[in-house]
Amino acid sequence: MSTAEETTGGEVEPWEEVTPDAARRLLVAAVEAFAERGYHATTTRDIAGRAGMSPAALYIHYKTKEELLHRISRIGHDKALDILRTAARREGTATERLADAVGSFVRWHAGRRTTARVVQYELDALGPEARAEIVALRRQVDAEVRGIIEDGVASGEFDVLDVKGTTLAVLSLCIDVARWFTVDGPFTPEEVGALYADLVLRMVGAK
């Protein structure tokens, strides 16, 4: 399954933020190549070839291979943050919001597993400035989940001694789905999302 066809709940990931079409094709090809071979083992020629374009055409839209990775990382982290922020700010109890956040976050990492693998595991390939930008987004992701857990502790819904450590454990659990999930496996993204939501609520001692 190509990156353009990966789905969560049947919704196609169009990379609609990326224009024109040639730039989008190159970005999709880069995601597939980075996920398959790793950033450092992938050449700009590999990316252009997958997109059905010449290497020279790539430089019209992206100055460097790192610029491609930065764009992928930025879009992916923005999406992840939006998923968690939406869940964190919905009406409902902390238990309901944490279940929604985890379920949605896991469904994205399963349904967009190729993209998510690149977004989550190629951070160190970015230069200092780009890396700092993505790290700042990761801190915001952490803050959204930590905020829900803190709300649950304050309301008496959760029994958590170490909120910071528990937040790290929850996010690590969700992110790792991108590493092992496969469409040939026994679960759908929705089923994995529901399973992990239940596991996390048990982890925080939800009443």
Side-chain angles (χ1 to χ4, degrees):
M1 178 181 291
S2 75
T3 305
E5 295 170 332
E6 289 183 349
T7 61
T8 298
E11 179 186 357
V12 173
E13 170 61 85
W15 292 98
E16 62 185 8
E17 306 92 337
V18 183
T19 57
D21 179 68
R24 185 184 304 113
R25 284 164 52 200
L26 286 163
L27 184 139
V28 169
V31 170
E32 294 172 347
F34 294 157
E36 181 182 315
R37 305 186 62 184
Y39 174 82
H40 292 293
T42 298
T43 66
T44 53
R45 184 175 294 276
D46 293 331
I47 296 167
R50 284 174 181 260
M53 301 166 68
S54 70
L58 185 147
Y59 295 108
I60 295 173
H61 303 284
Y62 302 99
K63 294 178 181 178
T64 64
K65 185 175 68 167
E66 185 193 340
E67 184 180 334
L68 260 170
L69 178 62
H70 180 213
R71 188 78 190 276
I72 294 163
S73 296
R74 179 67 203 225
I75 293 173
H77 279 86
D78 281 342
K79 179 60 178 177
L81 180 58
D82 180 64
I83 288 169
L84 292 173
R85 185 170 284 162
T86 298
R89 299 181 183 182
R90 58 164 283 196
E91 293 185 2
T93 65
T95 299
E96 292 168 338
R97 289 185 288 129
L98 185 59
D100 186 15
V102 170
S104 300
F105 200 48
V106 167
R107 286 196 301 273
W108 186 80
H109 279 82
R112 309 284 193 267
R113 60 206 164 277
T114 305
T115 300
R117 282 199 297 274
V118 176
V119 167
Q120 298 294 0
Y121 296 116
E122 292 287 0
L123 176 64
D124 289 340
L126 292 172
E129 186 175 340
R131 189 178 190 280
E133 179 185 316
I134 300 305
V135 167
L137 287 171
R138 290 192 174 198
R139 291 196 184 103
Q140 293 180 59
V141 165
D142 181 276
E144 294 296 339
V145 175
R146 188 173 66 250
I148 302 174
I149 295 175
E150 288 173 343
D151 288 346
V153 172
S155 67
E157 294 173 62
F158 302 158
D159 182 13
V160 176
L161 295 177
D162 183 348
V163 172
K164 183 178 180 180
T166 301
T167 300
L168 176 60
V170 169
L171 287 171
S172 297
L173 188 70
C174 296
I175 289 168
D176 196 55
V177 169
R179 182 184 58 78
W180 62 260
F181 185 85
T182 172
V183 292
D184 299 324
F187 302 110
T188 65
E190 291 74 19
E191 289 169 338
V192 178
L195 171 63
Y196 274 51
D198 179 68
L199 290 173
V200 168
L201 291 182
R202 293 172 186 270
M203 183 188 298
V204 299
K207 303 293 189 293

